[in-house]
Structures are given as structure tokens and as C-alpha cells.
Amino acid sequence: MPRPKPATFDKKKIVAENRRARFDYSIDTTYEAGIVLTGTEVKSLRFGEGSIAESYAEVSDGGVWLVNSNIPEFSHGNRFNHEPKRPRKLLLHEREVRKLHGAVAREGMTLVPLMIYFNSQGRAKVELALAKGRKAHDKRDAIKERDWKREAGRLMRERG
């Protein structure tokens, strides 16, 4: 029997975060995926450079690929520097890839990267979410609910 995964992933250094994704999508499940990088890409990420604001993931060729993520060229790289917006392969178990493929194909879900971070072992990881897009009225409801929770917390603090 496989060991259960921890509820939260061990994030040591967050490099890039897609904060807009939690507003635009309702998050169903999250996965931790490794990412295939070249040497200069790792160095750029260690300097804290990188963006996943407009990126997404797709299932193709029997794997999951991170598309449109921007990792700028390393400043001290030479002619072997990497291409900033190339598609990058994500490392997931075969069972997870099949599950994601089924959800994207049948249920109309989307694969959204939430953040890129380095774990405690120094490996670059991507937190990937299986999500469904929100409509405008759902976003308004989310804003109302968030404001109400903030106001309720404020009232509880004032009254003790």
C-alpha cells in the first residue's frame, strides 16, 4: 500500500507564484510535480527570477508539459543559455498523468500552475492544480465571501 502524501508540500523557497489563479479558478486538487530544467534555468530560479502568471499545463505525448512559463536567461550564461519560454516537462507518476488526462478531457478542467519553489532537498518543484474556471458572478461571490470573513474576524477581535 502506498504511503499517503502529506497535506501540504514542504516549501523552502518560493520562486514564482500565480496568485491570480486562486481568484480566476476554483481549485479542486493540487499535485506536486518535479520539473525538467537545464543548468542555466536552475541558476536563474535560484536568483528568484521566473514567472508563471500566464502559464498553463497540458497533457500530451504521454506526459504533462508546462507551457508559456518565463524563466529569463541567466545573466552569466554563455552561448549555451536556455530559451526563456520553452515548454518544460513536468515529472508526475503515470497514474497521476492518466488521472489528469481524464479530468481535462472529460470534465473540462484546467491544469494551472500555482507556484514554483525549491523543496528542503533543493529540488525545483511546481505546485499544479486541477481547477475549473469561474464565471464573473462566481468571482463576485468569492469577493463577497472574502470581505465578509475579514469583517467577521475584525468584529470577533473587537468584542473579544
Side-chain angles (χ1 to χ4, degrees):
M1 187 162 140
R3 187 176 50 194
K5 295 208 177 199
T8 58
F9 305 121
D10 186 23
K11 300 172 187 141
K12 189 158 179 137
K13 179 185 176 191
I14 296 175
V15 177
E17 191 172 10
N18 189 356
R19 297 181 65 196
R20 182 87 185 161
R22 296 196 188 272
F23 180 71
D24 288 337
Y25 300 94
S26 60
I27 307 296
D28 186 26
T29 55
T30 58
Y31 296 91
E32 181 182 45
I35 183 168
V36 177
L37 298 171
T38 63
T40 54
E41 288 173 329
V42 175
K43 289 180 180 186
S44 287
L45 285 177
R46 289 215 187 271
F47 277 114
E49 299 173 350
S51 171
I52 55 170
E54 298 169 353
S55 64
Y56 61 95
E58 64 180 17
V59 181
S60 63
D61 300 332
V64 181
W65 295 82
L66 183 64
V67 181
N68 206 22
S69 63
N70 184 23
I71 300 175
E73 289 185 344
F74 183 55
S75 59
H76 300 311
N78 54 12
R79 65 180 182 202
F80 300 114
N81 225 336
H82 65 276
E83 186 181 332
K85 286 208 170 204
R86 74 174 181 88
R88 295 167 176 92
K89 186 173 175 86
L90 298 180
L91 304 171
L92 290 162
H93 291 285
E94 182 118 6
R95 181 178 65 253
E96 291 174 331
V97 173
R98 284 196 304 266
K99 190 183 292 185
L100 292 175
H101 178 67
V104 169
R106 282 192 303 270
E107 301 166 21
M109 309 273 286
T110 308
L111 291 173
V112 182
L114 297 178
M115 65 179 63
I116 296 178
Y117 59 92
F118 287 99
N119 66 3
S120 58
Q121 297 162 348
R123 304 245 163 99
K125 301 286 183 176
V126 175
E127 186 175 352
L128 195 64
L130 191 59
K132 197 167 201 72
R134 285 187 179 162
K135 305 277 190 239
H137 62 276
D138 293 334
K139 292 179 187 179
R140 285 193 295 269
D141 291 342
I143 292 171
K144 284 181 195 173
E145 185 178 338
R146 185 181 64 215
D147 289 346
W148 167 244
K149 284 183 180 177
R150 187 180 300 136
E151 187 65 30
R154 189 175 299 132
L155 290 172
M156 292 298 284
R157 277 194 306 275
E158 288 175 1
R159 296 189 181 184

